[in-house]
């Protein structure tokens, strides 16, 4: 879950759309009005963002994510806390 929280809103929405299209890149290309190679590029970029997010997990971020998993903190509040933490 921590990788998802580290994604920007646009990437999160794209991932949601990808899931809702049952993983069909062809359908996503139609929905977004772009070519298949463009969607393929976006998926590759998203994969790199997820890989980077997985590698950046700190003890503080782990504690925040645990609070989200336990229902003690909303995802949007966790994202805001993490943004502010990363700015410092």
């Amino acid at each position: 879950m921590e990788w998802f929280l580290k994604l920007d809103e646009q990437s999160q929405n794209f991932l949601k759309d990808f899931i809702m299209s049952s993983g069909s890149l062809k359908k996503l290309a139609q929905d977004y009005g772009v070519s298949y190679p463009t969607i393929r590029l976006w998926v590759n970029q998203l994969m790199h963002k997820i890989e980077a997010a997985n590698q950046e997990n700190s003890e503080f971020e782990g504690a925040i994510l645990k609070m989200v998993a336990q229902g003690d903190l909303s995802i949007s509040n966790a994202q805001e806390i993490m943004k502010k933490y990363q700015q410092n």
Side-chain angles (χ1 to χ4, degrees):
M1 177 179 275
E2 62 269 6
W3 58 268
F4 183 78
L5 295 175
K6 292 180 182 180
L7 295 176
D8 57 80
E9 186 176 350
Q10 182 180 7
S11 294
Q12 289 176 350
N13 287 334
F14 179 76
L15 185 57
K16 181 186 106 185
D17 293 341
F18 176 75
I19 292 168
M20 297 305 290
S21 71
S22 299
S24 169
L25 300 184
K26 189 176 184 178
K27 178 162 177 12
L28 272 179
Q30 290 173 346
D31 292 347
Y32 278 83
V34 298
S35 68
Y36 178 90
T38 298
I39 290 293
R40 184 72 241 166
L41 176 66
W42 291 355
V43 169
N44 288 343
Q45 290 171 340
L46 182 57
M47 288 167 50
H48 291 297
K49 287 180 183 181
I50 291 170
E51 287 172 359
N54 276 331
Q55 295 174 357
E56 295 175 354
N57 196 17
S58 71
E59 186 175 322
F60 174 77
E61 291 169 328
I64 295 295
L65 296 170
K66 185 176 179 182
M67 292 173 71
V68 170
Q70 293 173 339
D72 297 329
L73 185 63
S74 72
I75 290 176
S76 59
N77 286 341
Q79 287 175 316
E80 187 63 31
I81 290 168
M82 290 171 114
K83 279 183 193 175
K84 290 183 181 184
Y85 173 74
Q86 290 172 349
Q87 290 172 351
N88 294 326

